[in-house]
Amino acid sequence: MQVTNIVNGVDLDRLAGTIEHVSADPMLAQFQFRARNRWIDGGHNRTTIKAFYGAGQEDTSRTEPFVLDADEPPLLLGENQGPNAGEYLLQALAACLTGTIVYHAAARGIVLDGLECSIEGDVDVQGFLGLDETVRPGFQQIRVAFKATGDFDDDQLAELARLAGYSPVRDTVSNPVPVAIEVSRA
């Protein structure tokens, strides 16, 4: 029987293998994630996510796509068919921060019994509506608060906070990223 070294639900042997492979061949670190979106009506639209490229090849592990509906609340002229795009962004940030902390904590031998976060972001819709050019259309500020439980000391708790710096989504929302937009006739 093979014994695996699992911390926080993370297989450390597989993690070490991944790190070893990427260190030996940095091209394996290149990933491309994709999504397709279709407008339905009003603020309602639907995104499907299935294929991605990673570790040097097209991934085929997903047999069915993930389907995510987005809309706006009635206050913003929607029908509540799903979270709005800003709420999905907060979810993506919370999920990435959580996963990042869990994986990096496991790699450092920090065992977590629980990890929860609350996240909120402030938006002034004057920017989106084009009413005030001095107001940005996006979030003005995002606040994230984590509560961690486990048998760890204050230094390890401080380390958990530092680990959030490895989050790809945190990096994306914190630093300018070029976004190329093209609109053509169907």
Side-chain angles (χ1 to χ4, degrees), residues 103-126:
Y103 275 62
H104 279 272
R108 288 160 177 73
I110 301 172
V111 178
L112 298 167
D113 292 333
L115 184 65
E116 295 182 12
C117 99
S118 60
I119 185 167
E120 53 190 30
D122 303 324
V123 173
D124 182 337
V125 297
Q126 291 180 92

Side-chain angles (χ1 to χ4, degrees), residues 25-112:
D25 183 359
M27 289 301 295
L28 295 176
Q30 302 305 307
F31 278 69
Q32 181 186 71
F33 295 101
R34 306 178 193 115
R36 296 184 61 88
N37 182 275
R38 181 176 57 85
W39 170 64
I40 296 173
D41 188 41
H44 187 197
N45 59 82
R46 181 168 292 140
T47 301
T48 56
I49 300 169
K50 184 176 179 190
F52 69 91
Y53 177 88
Q57 62 189 353
E58 196 65 26
D59 181 81
T60 59
S61 65
R62 296 174 176 165
T63 59
E64 296 293 324
F66 298 107
V67 178
L68 308 164
D69 278 32
D71 197 0
E72 295 292 338
L75 186 61
L76 293 174
L77 309 177
E79 300 288 330
N80 272 334
Q81 299 294 314
N84 71 24
E87 291 166 320
Y88 271 118
L89 184 135
L90 294 177
Q91 185 278 332
L93 179 57
C96 192
L97 286 167
T98 299
T100 297
I101 291 171
V102 166
Y103 275 62
H104 279 272
R108 288 160 177 73
I110 301 172
V111 178
L112 298 167

Side-chain angles (χ1 to χ4, degrees), residues 114-177:
L115 184 65
E116 295 182 12
C117 99
S118 60
I119 185 167
E120 53 190 30
D122 303 324
V123 173
D124 182 337
V125 297
Q126 291 180 92
F128 167 74
L129 295 172
L131 298 175
D132 186 339
E133 294 297 320
T134 66
V135 176
R136 63 181 293 173
F139 285 109
Q140 279 80 39
Q141 182 180 21
I142 297 173
R143 292 170 302 283
V144 183
F146 276 95
K147 291 189 187 249
T149 57
D151 186 21
F152 42 79
D153 60 31
D154 289 345
D155 289 339
Q156 290 172 314
L157 185 62
E159 178 70 5
L160 292 176
R162 284 190 294 274
L163 296 176
Y166 291 107
S167 163
V169 175
R170 186 214 49 86
D171 178 74
T172 301
V173 301
S174 298
N175 298 294
V177 175

